[in-house]
Amino acid sequence: MTMITDYRKATRRNELVLGGAVGLVVVLAVVAVTLLITMGGEPEPPPEGAPDARELTADTCAAGLRQPAWVPEGVMRAQVACPEDISRRVGDSTSPDRLGTWIVYDLHGPANEETVPGAAPGSWPQAEVESGAIHPATTITYVAYPGSEKLSSELGGGTVEVAWMDFPEGGGDARVTRVENNGYGPVRVEWTDDGGSYLLLTVLGRTPDGRSGVGVEDLLRMAGSLAG
Amino acid sequence: MVSSRTWLQLGGGVILAALVTAAFLQGRAAEDTWTANDPVGDCGTGALGGEIGRDSGGEVLAAQNVLSATHALEPATSSWDADSEAAVRAFQAWTGLPPDGCVNTNTWVTMRALVVPVCAPEYRCQGPDQLLHWGPARESRDAWFLDADCDWASWVLPGIAQSPVASRTPYEFSREPLTELRCEG
């Protein structure tokens, strides 16, 4: 008996298998892309176990403000200045409209504590002055300008380094401005999103107790944790 | 042969480019004011034996205003003195600069980076619109400035200002002796 193979049937079966596989791949790709987009749009939750930094401003006028949900471990407390406070400080000559809201985070540790004596600077011991032993408290200043779409003017100068850097957890990037003074100096991180524009500022200070302030990575992580 | 029309087009193009360049440079002038400041303080002597660093005027007041926030310097008089010099040396040491007592370009830039706009960047506030807010949360200190079209100005708080400096008055950074801001703010 002779076996006759129907090549038309075999070809059709192959086409069906191939078509199904391609369809499956397409469906999987669509699902993956959709998941990625959905997850990317959500604010990064604070790391498990870490308190939500927004609790630091819970009872203030900044309670509903978009602000970092994550702050470095060294942060002890925060002080808030809202537009009305800022306006009052300059004698109400500036309308609170369009003013930013400030959150100043205090940092723990001897290098970050204020050591400026009460006596006049002329009487400060020269050795202490020149070693960096006399310094203000180092803080992290966060300023939010709700509704704003722009960053402040870019700083220029021979020792100024400006670069756009990604948030460590993804979800955006920021303009990082460093005044490079032998590994120390001010650091500014500025960025925008749909809710406004924002700024973080600290100083990498030289003190006998070590370096004050926090690194760029921590500032970028704060920036990437914005929520509210 | 080049026609007169071509020459006219070329001339017009050059004039247009010059105008655009001038507008750009003028636009940058205000934000560059800090780095374009003269040296202040103990900056040594020049070739002819004269002191390089300024010892009075608007630039001195600007540096004193910064130091009032960072190192509790007071009063701000617009005259450089031993207190100002010790405070700037401490500022320089803390920020990684050589503590030489001379407020030169690198020190000016470092000071500038600490100043933050109080108003959203695309809007112009009336009055002082730039703030250096420093110190611990409970005992912070402020230094105010005004970023005007023609120049920056220092705006010194009561308790810090001392004659001839009046508090809550904008003084230009300009090189001339202490001068109130005269351009539109």
Side-chain angles (χ1 to χ4, degrees):
Chain A
M1 192 174 169
T2 308
M3 288 282 291
I4 301 173
T5 305
D6 187 344
Y7 289 104
R8 286 173 303 178
K9 271 189 177 177
T11 305
R12 199 173 299 130
R13 191 166 59 242
N14 288 343
E15 284 171 351
L16 280 172
V17 169
L18 187 63
V22 168
L24 189 64
V25 167
V26 169
V27 168
L28 285 174
V30 169
V31 169
V33 168
T34 308
L35 274 175
L36 277 175
I37 290 171
T38 311
M39 286 172 71
E42 286 174 0
E44 191 66 32
E48 208 168 312
D52 190 328
R54 289 174 292 175
E55 289 173 14
L56 294 168
T57 63
D59 299 325
T60 71
C61 54
L65 184 76
R66 270 181 77 68
Q67 59 188 285
W70 181 88
V71 292
E73 271 185 13
V75 169
M76 300 184 295
R77 56 177 171 261
Q79 189 198 35
V80 173
C82 285
E84 291 74 17
D85 306 321
I86 301 283
S87 177
R88 209 171 299 126
R89 282 191 204 170
V90 282
D92 291 318
S93 64
T94 300
S95 164
D97 299 342
R98 312 296 184 189
L99 289 184
T101 298
W102 295 54
I103 302 175
V104 179
Y105 299 98
D106 281 356
L107 289 165
H108 180 69
N112 296 310
E113 288 170 8
E114 166 120 357
T115 59
V116 177
S123 67
W124 296 347
Q126 189 175 347
E128 289 187 26
V129 166
E130 297 188 352
S131 68
I134 297 177
H135 54 80
T138 298
T139 58
I140 303 172
T141 299
Y142 167 75
V143 187
Y145 308 97
S148 172
E149 297 174 351
K150 283 183 68 177
L151 302 182
S152 65
S153 302
E154 188 172 307
L155 302 186
T159 53
V160 175
E161 294 177 357
V162 181
W164 281 88
M165 299 175 75
D166 292 333
F167 301 150
E169 316 282 345
D173 59 355
R175 186 180 73 193
V176 178
T177 305
R178 283 203 59 185
V179 181
E180 175 51 53
N181 296 337
N182 308 305
Y184 301 95
V187 184
R188 296 165 69 116
V189 173
E190 295 164 271
W191 73 103
T192 61
D193 67 12
D194 292 341
S197 68
Y198 314 93
L199 176 146
L200 282 165
L201 167 69
T202 193
V203 170
L204 297 175
R206 183 173 72 97
T207 85
D209 296 307
R211 182 188 296 256
S212 76
V214 297
V216 173
E217 279 291 308
D218 279 345
L219 293 179
L220 286 168
R221 192 170 174 195
M222 284 178 73
S225 75
L226 222 60
Chain B
M1 183 167 174
V2 181
S3 70
S4 57
R5 186 175 175 179
T6 306
W7 281 114
L8 277 173
Q9 286 173 335
L10 191 64
V14 169
I15 290 169
L16 186 65
L19 286 172
V20 168
T21 306
F24 175 75
L25 291 177
Q26 196 165 4
R28 296 277 300 182
E31 70 188 80
D32 285 347
T33 303
W34 285 73
T35 50
N37 281 345
D38 291 318
V40 161
D42 183 12
C43 302
T45 53
L48 300 176
E51 292 288 332
I52 294 174
R54 295 196 166 261
D55 60 6
S56 67
E59 289 159 325
V60 170
L61 180 62
Q64 288 178 329
N65 204 23
V66 169
L67 295 169
S68 73
T70 60
H71 285 77
L73 174 68
E74 57 178 65
T77 61
S78 76
S79 293
W80 200 247
D81 56 14
D83 285 344
S84 305
E85 186 172 324
V88 83
R89 284 180 192 271
F91 175 87
Q92 289 171 323
W94 175 56
T95 54
L97 292 161
D100 57 10
C102 173
V103 186
N104 54 18
T105 302
N106 290 349
T107 307
W108 280 123
V109 169
T110 303
M111 290 177 166
R112 169 68 184 90
L114 302 178
V115 179
V116 173
V118 294
C119 195
E122 58 264 68
Y123 298 100
R124 185 164 280 265
C125 291
Q126 294 298 310
D129 58 355
Q130 304 279 331
L131 174 61
L132 198 168
H133 176 80
W134 214 257
R138 287 177 185 166
E139 294 173 37
S140 56
R141 295 178 291 267
D142 289 349
W144 289 88
F145 298 91
L146 200 157
D147 180 8
D149 290 331
C150 64
D151 199 352
W152 277 66
S154 304
W155 196 88
V156 186
L157 289 168
I160 305 295
Q162 182 173 299
S163 179
V165 178
S167 64
R168 300 185 186 280
T169 304
Y171 290 104
E172 287 186 17
F173 278 28
S174 63
R175 302 170 191 190
E176 300 302 316
L178 198 62
T179 309
E180 277 193 45
L181 188 72
R182 288 183 183 146
C183 63
E184 290 296 316

